[in-house]
Amino acid sequence: MRIRSTAVFTALRLLAFLVPFGIMMLFPVLREYYWLSAIFAALIGLSLSVLFLRRPLADMATDMEERRSARRRRTGEEQDAAAEDAAAGDAAGEA
């Protein structure tokens, strides 16, 4: 289970928001309207992540799919074992 790709993507997304927000907070007009700075920073961060963070997003999605498929395989094996146990119990009860 690799959590590194998720951590990298999250950190980069936070930076894509916080850096423009910090720069905008240097201007006195936008400091007064901090909510407007937050909206602009969110739009800039979204744009930057769409343009530049495709690979980290793909890595994160691949890791998540691997974890899900591993969990499904484990769950499927447990269900198979339970079905076999039930079948063995039925066969023992009939004998």
PDB file of all heavy atoms in Angstrom, residues 86-95:
ATOM      1  N   ALA A  86     -19.640 -23.584   4.433  1.00  0.00           N
ATOM      2  CA  ALA A  86     -21.074 -23.860   4.487  1.00  0.00           C
ATOM      3  C   ALA A  86     -21.397 -25.158   3.746  1.00  0.00           C
ATOM      4  O   ALA A  86     -22.198 -25.981   4.212  1.00  0.00           O
ATOM      5  CB  ALA A  86     -21.859 -22.694   3.891  1.00  0.00           C
ATOM      6  N   ALA A  87     -20.747 -25.351   2.598  1.00  0.00           N
ATOM      7  CA  ALA A  87     -20.980 -26.581   1.838  1.00  0.00           C
ATOM      8  C   ALA A  87     -20.472 -27.793   2.612  1.00  0.00           C
ATOM      9  O   ALA A  87     -21.097 -28.861   2.617  1.00  0.00           O
ATOM     10  CB  ALA A  87     -20.304 -26.474   0.474  1.00  0.00           C
ATOM     11  N   ALA A  88     -19.334 -27.643   3.262  1.00  0.00           N
ATOM     12  CA  ALA A  88     -18.780 -28.746   4.040  1.00  0.00           C
ATOM     13  C   ALA A  88     -19.683 -29.046   5.236  1.00  0.00           C
ATOM     14  O   ALA A  88     -19.890 -30.217   5.597  1.00  0.00           O
ATOM     15  CB  ALA A  88     -17.365 -28.402   4.510  1.00  0.00           C
ATOM     16  N   GLY A  89     -20.246 -28.009   5.837  1.00  0.00           N
ATOM     17  CA  GLY A  89     -21.163 -28.192   6.953  1.00  0.00           C
ATOM     18  C   GLY A  89     -22.434 -28.894   6.521  1.00  0.00           C
ATOM     19  O   GLY A  89     -22.958 -29.763   7.220  1.00  0.00           O
ATOM     20  N   ASP A  90     -22.942 -28.544   5.330  1.00  0.00           N
ATOM     21  CA  ASP A  90     -24.141 -29.206   4.817  1.00  0.00           C
ATOM     22  C   ASP A  90     -23.856 -30.662   4.507  1.00  0.00           C
ATOM     23  O   ASP A  90     -24.679 -31.543   4.770  1.00  0.00           O
ATOM     24  CB  ASP A  90     -24.629 -28.495   3.549  1.00  0.00           C
ATOM     25  CG  ASP A  90     -25.219 -27.124   3.851  1.00  0.00           C
ATOM     26  OD1 ASP A  90     -25.546 -26.859   5.020  1.00  0.00           O
ATOM     27  OD2 ASP A  90     -25.331 -26.299   2.893  1.00  0.00           O
ATOM     28  N   ALA A  91     -22.686 -30.916   3.935  1.00  0.00           N
ATOM     29  CA  ALA A  91     -22.318 -32.308   3.593  1.00  0.00           C
ATOM     30  C   ALA A  91     -22.137 -33.123   4.865  1.00  0.00           C
ATOM     31  O   ALA A  91     -22.522 -34.290   4.930  1.00  0.00           O
ATOM     32  CB  ALA A  91     -21.048 -32.322   2.756  1.00  0.00           C
ATOM     33  N   ALA A  92     -21.585 -32.546   5.915  1.00  0.00           N
ATOM     34  CA  ALA A  92     -21.388 -33.253   7.178  1.00  0.00           C
ATOM     35  C   ALA A  92     -22.723 -33.503   7.851  1.00  0.00           C
ATOM     36  O   ALA A  92     -22.924 -34.537   8.487  1.00  0.00           O
ATOM     37  CB  ALA A  92     -20.451 -32.467   8.091  1.00  0.00           C
ATOM     38  N   GLY A  93     -23.672 -32.585   7.733  1.00  0.00           N
ATOM     39  CA  GLY A  93     -24.977 -32.741   8.338  1.00  0.00           C
ATOM     40  C   GLY A  93     -25.800 -33.814   7.649  1.00  0.00           C
ATOM     41  O   GLY A  93     -26.613 -34.491   8.281  1.00  0.00           O
ATOM     42  N   GLU A  94     -25.598 -34.014   6.358  1.00  0.00           N
ATOM     43  CA  GLU A  94     -26.358 -35.018   5.617  1.00  0.00           C
ATOM     44  C   GLU A  94     -25.804 -36.412   5.863  1.00  0.00           C
ATOM     45  O   GLU A  94     -26.522 -37.397   5.747  1.00  0.00           O
ATOM     46  CB  GLU A  94     -26.302 -34.703   4.118  1.00  0.00           C
ATOM     47  CG  GLU A  94     -27.072 -33.458   3.749  1.00  0.00           C
ATOM     48  CD  GLU A  94     -26.920 -33.116   2.268  1.00  0.00           C
ATOM     49  OE1 GLU A  94     -26.283 -33.883   1.543  1.00  0.00           O
ATOM     50  OE2 GLU A  94     -27.442 -32.078   1.851  1.00  0.00           O
ATOM     51  N   ALA A  95     -24.535 -36.491   6.191  1.00  0.00           N
ATOM     52  CA  ALA A  95     -23.909 -37.811   6.334  1.00  0.00           C
ATOM     53  C   ALA A  95     -24.183 -38.449   7.646  1.00  0.00           C
ATOM     54  O   ALA A  95     -24.929 -38.533   8.403  1.00  0.00           O
ATOM     55  CB  ALA A  95     -22.396 -37.710   6.215  1.00  0.00           C
TER      56      ALA A  95
END
